[in-house]
Amino acid sequence: NLLLFGPRQVGKTTLIRESFSADNLQIINLLLSEIYTKYKSAPAVFREEVRALPPKITHVVVDGAQRVPDLLNEIQAL
């Protein structure tokens, strides 16, 4: 597990995209309102969806995780 914290717009997501193959990376962007709303109303859906990812996905990035603090429990459970 890796937590990458920092101020907005300093290149955290860019660093991740450049460090890992796009074929093995799933980015969940909580800055998008429809994604935020889905996980805010049902955080357990996150765990279900991550478990259902194909085996080639080796890294899951949650961009904007601070927006849905309950997701941290789901992340820890995984």
Side-chain angles (χ1 to χ4, degrees):
N1 297 335
L2 170 71
L3 295 176
L4 180 60
F5 292 100
R8 295 195 65 192
Q9 300 296 311
V10 296
K12 298 179 301 292
T13 303
T14 300
L15 175 67
I16 295 292
R17 287 177 196 253
E18 291 177 356
S19 298
F20 299 99
S21 167
D23 294 337
N24 304 106
L25 188 63
Q26 176 72 38
I27 296 179
I28 298 169
N29 188 348
L30 294 175
L31 302 177
L32 300 173
S33 60
E34 65 273 15
I35 304 298
Y36 165 79
T37 301
K38 175 171 72 169
Y39 293 126
K40 179 72 174 167
S41 64
V45 169
F46 172 83
R47 184 170 15 103
E48 295 166 9
E49 290 180 352
V50 169
R51 285 186 173 154
L53 289 171
K56 73 174 190 163
I57 301 297
T58 57
H59 297 83
V60 177
V61 174
V62 180
D63 198 356
Q66 75 282 355
R67 295 194 72 206
V68 184
D70 288 342
L71 273 187
L72 297 177
N73 293 330
E74 299 300 328
I75 292 167
Q76 187 173 2
L78 288 167

